[in-house]
Amino acid sequence: MKKPPLTLYLAAPRGFCAGVDRAIKIVEMALQKWGPPVYVRHEIVHNKFVVDGLRAKGAVFVEELQECPDDRPVIFSAHGVPKSVPAEAAQREMIYVDATCPLVSKVHVEAQRHADAGLQMIMIGHKGHPETVGTMGQLPEGDVLLVETVDDVATVQVRDPQKLAFVTQTTLSVDDTKDIIAALQARFPAIVGPHKEDICYATTNRQEAVKSVAPKADALLVVGAPNSSNSRRLVEVASREGCQYAQLVQRATEIDWRALEGISTVAVTAGASAPEVLVNEVIEAFSAHYDVTVEPVETAIENVEFKVPRVLRQPA
């Protein structure tokens, strides 16, 4: 039977960003240097396929430092950790490697700098997300106030409206965050923002790529994990840009073919922690059902690279 034709728009940039690349490399190099097991506090990045692959090589994923023995190396995830975590590791004389994305570390430094200047911090982020927990944990408890929505801005209680600064989670929706910042500035005209916006280049680039493909696709699939903030934002951006059917899938096996009946164009992208192998798997799945023409749509070129910590570049 002849397969129906389908145009597949492949958004770029997509998939791994420099911070995710570095974090995965850190775990692999730690396993090479110290041998398994190497402990990792929290998922190194939010992707089951990646985590399972590292687990198979000897990485042990835990939620808290208490679950790690003193005599094995531990790695902190790309999302960052509260200050109390490395402090505890140092007290226990553990070998630890911080895989926090340098762009998240920049937000940590910013928060500390504002606090040192006597400003109370407001963080725009998602409650309970590891990155938000890590950033808020750079300062004493209660010193950072969290706002998630424009409505939250109206009710947040501050110490002094004249002495405020804000930071944001790096993986938020650029458009949503813009609205929240505008609300903060309207209510607190003296609030100080970051020198350069906190939402990272990779999040911004992936959202821009989705904006360019979403209006011309009958459906858009984001390859990514349900707990990946930046992947979920891509689905929201696609819907906002007029794509009738936007879905998050972890693997090709999650594609709902019934929902896609009658389509002639589909766009595919991937969150910053999803490997390209999973994108290829999705393309192959479409090729099994349709006569596919792949059209790349590139809106930016990324050439960012972050160095791994020095401890991993030195011999054991």
Side-chain angles (χ1 to χ4, degrees):
M1 199 171 97
K2 197 164 178 285
K3 290 188 280 193
L6 178 85
T7 302
L8 191 150
Y9 298 113
L10 196 52
R14 65 180 174 277
F16 280 0
C17 61
V20 164
D21 238 347
R22 173 180 179 268
I24 294 166
K25 206 178 283 176
I26 285 172
V27 180
E28 290 174 339
M29 289 174 77
L31 285 163
Q32 281 169 6
K33 178 166 181 168
W34 292 297
V38 164
Y39 285 76
V40 185
R41 185 190 176 277
H42 193 71
E43 288 188 347
I44 188 69
V45 297
H46 282 157
N47 188 276
K48 185 180 184 304
F49 182 85
V50 171
V51 168
D52 287 348
L54 293 170
R55 191 180 279 123
K57 293 176 183 176
V60 178
F61 293 89
V62 297
E63 282 307 304
E64 296 299 339
L65 207 57
Q66 294 92 295
E67 300 169 61
C68 305
D70 293 351
D71 60 349
R72 292 306 302 163
V74 62
I75 295 164
F76 305 145
S77 86
H79 308 100
V81 292
K83 268 188 178 161
S84 56
V85 175
E88 185 193 330
Q91 189 197 342
R92 288 170 59 185
E93 298 183 351
M94 300 171 82
I95 295 172
Y96 66 89
V97 185
D98 190 354
T100 301
C101 172
L103 298 178
V104 174
S105 298
K106 175 183 84 76
V107 179
H108 291 182
V109 170
E110 226 166 67
Q112 188 63 60
R113 184 169 49 79
H114 287 317
D116 292 345
L119 303 179
Q120 186 179 17
M121 295 301 309
I122 292 180
M123 176 159 193
I124 304 169
H126 293 299
K127 188 177 183 179
H129 187 280
E131 186 189 326
T132 300
V133 172
T135 300
M136 293 178 75
Q138 299 307 301
L139 300 175
E141 195 165 338
D143 277 18
V144 186
L145 305 170
L146 181 67
V147 296
E148 297 190 79
T149 63
V150 168
D151 290 345
D152 290 346
V153 174
T155 57
V156 68
Q157 299 296 310
V158 302
R159 284 197 296 255
D160 181 347
Q162 300 304 310
K163 292 186 174 179
L164 287 176
F166 73 86
V167 293
T168 78
Q169 191 179 320
T170 62
T171 55
L172 299 177
S173 155
V174 175
D175 296 329
D176 286 348
T177 307
K178 210 183 291 170
D179 294 343
I180 298 170
I181 291 170
L184 281 171
Q185 290 169 334
R187 186 173 172 206
F188 307 114
I191 197 165
V192 177
H195 289 314
K196 188 176 177 295
E197 74 163 21
D198 293 332
I199 295 177
C200 83
Y201 78 94
T203 298
T204 304
N205 286 349
R206 278 147 193 71
Q207 289 180 20
E208 287 302 319
V210 163
K211 284 178 184 179
S212 73
V213 294
K216 52 186 178 183
D218 298 327
L220 183 140
L221 297 185
V222 177
V223 180
N227 60 341
S228 162
S229 172
N230 78 84
S231 300
R232 286 168 60 179
R233 300 298 78 78
L234 293 176
V235 176
E236 292 169 5
V237 169
S239 298
R240 195 178 291 144
E241 292 297 314
C243 185
Q244 294 299 307
Y245 181 87
Q247 288 295 317
L248 185 66
V249 294
Q250 292 198 78
R251 302 289 299 264
T253 49
E254 293 184 7
I255 298 171
D256 183 351
W257 298 106
R258 288 228 311 257
L260 297 175
E261 273 173 22
I263 65 162
S264 60
T265 54
V266 67
V268 173
T269 188
S273 44
E276 188 65 6
V277 62
L278 299 186
V279 174
N280 292 334
E281 185 183 278
V282 166
I283 296 169
E284 282 168 24
F286 272 100
S287 298
H289 287 76
Y290 297 89
D291 179 12
V292 171
T293 304
V294 176
E295 277 191 31
V297 180
E298 187 168 59
T299 52
I301 293 170
E302 294 178 350
N303 49 18
V304 179
E305 202 175 322
F306 297 132
K307 278 186 177 162
V308 298
R310 189 181 286 119
V311 67
L312 292 170
R313 290 181 266 137
Q314 296 164 337

